[in-house]
Amino acid sequence: MFYDRERELGKLNEVYSFPGSSFLVIYGRRRVGKTALVREFLKDKSGLYFFVGEKDEKLLLEEWSREIVERLSDYLPSYVKPRFSSLEELVGFLLDFSRERRLVVVFDEFQNFKAVKPSFFSPLQELWDEKKDGSNLMLIAVGSYVGMIKRIFMDRKEPLFGRADEWMKLKPFDFWRAYGFVRSMADVNPRHFVEFYSALGGMPRYLLYLPRYYRGDSVETLGRLFFDEFAPLREEGLNVLKLEFGRFYRSYFSILEAVSLGYVTPKEISDKTGMKPLTVSKYLSELTNHYEYLVREVPVTENPLKTRKVAYKISDEFFSFWFRFIYHNYTALEENPDRVFERFRAEFPAFVGETYERIAREFVKRLDLGFKPERVGRWWHRGEEIDVVAYDRKNVALFEVKWKNLSQRDAKRVLKALEKKAELLPLRGNYRFGVIAGKLEDKDWLRKEGFLAFDLEDIIR
Ligand SMILES: Nc1ncnc2c1ncn2[C@@H]1O[C@H](COP(=O)(O)OP(=O)(O)OP(=O)(O)O)[C@@H](O)[C@H]1O
Ligand SMILES: [Mg+2]
C-alpha cells in the first residue's frame, strides 16, 4: 500500500500537465522511496519504467524493447516492431513516438549509464536538444547517489549540464507522516515511536521492519535491527554510503563519525580526527553542499552568512544513529556485542532527547503562537543553550525541551532557569516562556499561569 507523498505527486502531475517535453531529475538517498514514488506516478499514465542495471547495453535493450512492445503496442502500427541496436536509437524512438502522444519515461538509477555506456550522455543531449520541442516526452531521471547525479547535471563539463528542467529531492517522511505510516501497519505507542524515529528516521524502508520486529519493547527491537549478528541494518550505513563516496570513503566516514559523537565545530572535528583544518573544511563543505549529508547550524539569532559560530549535524536520523552506535563500535561489536548493546542502552535516552528537541522545533513551527515567527531554531552561547527560540520583531517565545516526564515542580524549576537564561539573549520584545516535555503534569495549571506547556500528546495530536 502506497502512503502519502501527496506534495511530490502533486508536483509530478503539474509537470506532466505542461505542454511539450520536460526533463525532470528525482534524487535522494538510497531507500528513501524514489522507485515507489515514480511507480505510483506511472500507475494511471502511459509510461515506461526502465531500470538501468549495470549490464551490457545489448541486454538492457532487449529487456526494454519487450517493455515497449508490451506497453505501447496498442498505439503502434502492427508492422512496427521496435528493435534497437543502441541506446541512442531507443531514445530517438521515444522522442519521435511522443510527437503524437504524451509519454512518460523513467530511467531509474540513471547514474548507472556511466557504467553501461560512458559515452551515452553526449548523444542523449544532442537528441534531446534536437527533438524535445516537437515532442511531448516527460523524461524522469532517478538517482540514488546524490553526488553522482549532481555531477552529471550540474558540472559544466558534462554534456547534460543545464538540461534538467525540474529537480526534486525526495526526503524521508517527516515525523508526523512517519508515525502515520507506521500506524497504518502496526500498533506502536507514541513514546516508542519517538525512539524508533530517533534510530530509523522517516525512511519508509526501515520503518517497514517495525510490524515484523516490534513486540512491545523498543530497545529490544532496536537490538535485533542493529546489534545482533544477523541484524538487517547493521551494515546498512556502509552499504548505502560506501558507493557514494567512492575510494576515499574512510575520510568522509571519520568526519561523519566525529559529528555523530558530538564534535561539531571544524576545530573539534579536526582535533578528534587528526585531519588538518584545511582538509576538514574541504570535506565539511562537500558533505554539506554537494552530498547534503550534513547541515550547518548557527545560533538562531545570528546571521548565517556572517557568523563564525557554526555547528554541523548529520541531517539524516538514521545515519546519525548508525555512526554513533554502530560504526563507532564496529570492532567491539564483533568482539563483545553484549557490552556494546549495554552501553547503547545506557546512552540511548540522551540520544532520543536530542531527537526530541528537533521534533519539538518542528512542532513549534506548526504552532499558533499568536505571531508569525521569522525564525525558529536553537540558540547557544558559551555553554548556555536554549532549545527552541521563535521570534519576530516584537515577540519572543522560548522553550526548554525535556524528553523526561516532568512534575509540576520540575516544570516550574525548568521555566525559572529558562527565564534566567533569557537575559543573555540579544532579542527585544514581548517574551513568553514554555516547556515541552515527554509527559507534563498539570499542563492546564501552567497554561493558566501564562506559560506555553506541551507534551508528546500535543505533538502527536
Ligand atoms: N510512500 C510509500 N508508501 C509505502 N511504502 C513505501 C513508500 N515509499 C517507499 N516505500 C517502500 O520502502 C521501500 C524502499 O523504497 P524504494 O525502493 O522506492 O526506495 P528507493 O529510493 O528507490 O531506494 P533504492 O535506492 O534502494 O532503490 C520499498 O519497499 C517501498 O515499497
Ligand atoms: Mg530504487
Side-chain angles (χ1 to χ4, degrees), residues 438-452:
K439 188 155 180 48
L440 193 54
E441 191 189 87
D442 252 340
K443 276 187 284 195
D444 289 339
W445 181 84
L446 286 163
R447 285 172 185 170
K448 270 199 215 101
E449 294 286 300
F451 295 109
L452 296 155

Side-chain angles (χ1 to χ4, degrees), residues 1-5 28-40 49 51 108-109 142-145 170 173 181 185 203-208 236 240:
M1 188 228 25
F2 188 79
Y3 185 79
D4 191 69
R5 297 298 195 193
R29 91 179 204 44
R30 298 217 52 197
R31 327 288 198 216
V32 78
K34 301 176 297 297
T35 302
L37 174 68
V38 291
R39 285 202 166 277
E40 179 70 18
Y49 171 87
F51 183 84
D108 199 354
E109 304 298 350
V142 178
S144 286
Y145 294 102
L170 192 60
F173 290 138
F181 181 48
M185 304 177 293
M203 293 292 297
R205 163 82 175 253
Y206 309 149
L207 297 170
L208 280 169
E236 176 69 6
V240 166

Side-chain angles (χ1 to χ4, degrees), residues 26-164:
I26 300 177
Y27 73 106
R29 91 179 204 44
R30 298 217 52 197
R31 327 288 198 216
V32 78
K34 301 176 297 297
T35 302
L37 174 68
V38 291
R39 285 202 166 277
E40 179 70 18
F41 173 66
L42 283 176
K43 239 159 90 179
D44 55 355
K45 302 186 173 59
S46 79
L48 299 162
Y49 171 87
F50 298 135
F51 183 84
V52 189
E54 291 193 47
K55 301 180 182 169
D56 258 15
E57 179 179 15
K58 194 157 159 281
L59 291 176
L60 286 179
L61 289 170
E62 265 170 35
E63 209 175 279
W64 296 354
S65 303
R66 271 201 303 276
E67 172 82 6
I68 289 175
V69 170
E70 225 165 84
R71 313 273 316 205
L72 303 184
S73 55
D74 286 358
Y75 313 114
L76 292 172
S78 56
Y79 57 85
V80 176
K81 285 269 169 289
R83 273 252 148 64
F84 310 103
S85 60
S86 69
L87 287 165
E88 291 81 349
E89 244 173 58
L90 178 128
V91 170
F93 166 83
L94 296 171
L95 276 158
D96 289 339
F97 177 89
S98 73
R99 294 174 79 88
E100 307 295 323
R101 221 192 137 75
R102 190 141 194 63
L103 181 69
V104 185
V105 172
V106 175
F107 288 112
D108 199 354
E109 304 298 350
F110 187 80
Q111 74 280 343
N112 284 347
F113 276 127
K114 281 212 139 163
V116 176
K117 190 178 191 182
S119 65
F120 173 57
F121 291 146
S122 198
L124 174 60
Q125 174 233 315
E126 280 160 25
L127 281 165
W128 181 254
D129 290 354
E130 179 196 325
K131 300 193 178 221
K132 72 170 184 340
D133 289 334
S135 301
N136 290 291
L137 184 64
M138 180 173 176
L139 187 60
I140 304 181
V142 178
S144 286
Y145 294 102
V146 181
M148 276 187 248
I149 278 293
K150 280 187 165 175
R151 223 165 289 134
I152 291 170
F153 291 97
M154 289 180 173
D155 185 335
R156 286 176 178 282
K157 293 191 284 293
E158 293 283 331
L160 291 174
F161 171 76
R163 291 309 182 281

Side-chain angles (χ1 to χ4, degrees), residues 166-324:
E166 311 276 343
W167 284 86
M168 181 184 288
K169 177 174 183 178
L170 192 60
K171 298 195 196 109
F173 290 138
D174 68 24
F175 174 76
W176 290 270
R177 289 191 176 89
Y179 190 47
F181 181 48
V182 169
R183 283 277 297 255
S184 73
M185 304 177 293
D187 195 13
V188 176
N189 74 49
R191 266 196 92 78
H192 284 175
F193 182 71
V194 173
E195 296 180 314
F196 289 137
Y197 182 79
S198 301
L200 307 174
M203 293 292 297
R205 163 82 175 253
Y206 309 149
L207 297 170
L208 280 169
Y209 282 112
L210 292 178
R212 282 178 281 155
Y213 276 71
Y214 178 62
R215 298 189 201 125
D217 180 333
S218 49
V219 170
E220 182 261 353
T221 306
L222 291 175
R224 288 191 297 124
L225 281 173
F226 284 94
F227 295 88
D228 284 358
E229 188 180 354
F230 302 116
L233 295 176
R234 186 161 145 174
E235 306 292 329
E236 176 69 6
L238 199 66
N239 293 339
V240 166
L241 287 178
K242 210 166 156 178
L243 276 168
E244 173 88 282
F245 297 135
R247 270 191 299 151
F248 304 109
Y249 80 93
R250 272 175 214 284
S251 305
Y252 291 97
F253 274 39
S254 301
I255 300 225
L256 291 168
E257 181 188 357
V259 173
S260 81
L261 293 170
Y263 301 91
V264 297
T265 68
K267 165 116 182 44
E268 287 167 358
I269 295 165
S270 167
D271 289 347
K272 173 72 184 165
T273 59
M275 289 155 94
K276 293 202 195 81
L278 216 62
T279 314
V280 167
S281 79
K282 178 189 138 242
Y283 279 117
L284 284 175
S285 153
E286 275 183 24
L287 281 165
T288 310
N289 303 315
H290 189 62
Y291 293 111
E292 305 178 34
Y293 290 121
L294 287 182
V295 288
R296 188 177 174 271
E297 254 192 346
V298 304
V300 69
T301 54
E302 300 275 325
N303 179 337
L305 299 174
K306 291 192 180 143
T307 186
R308 298 182 59 186
K309 290 189 198 165
V310 179
Y312 286 88
K313 74 168 209 239
I314 298 181
S315 56
D316 183 299
E317 314 288 344
F318 174 86
F319 289 138
S320 191
F321 180 92
W322 188 83
F323 275 102
R324 161 85 182 261

Side-chain angles (χ1 to χ4, degrees), residues 404-414 435 437 439-443 445-446:
K404 285 187 303 215
N405 298 340
L406 297 186
S407 67
Q408 197 197 86
R409 268 184 59 196
D410 296 332
K412 279 204 282 196
R413 210 180 47 234
V414 162
V435 62
K439 188 155 180 48
L440 193 54
E441 191 189 87
D442 252 340
K443 276 187 284 195
W445 181 84
L446 286 163

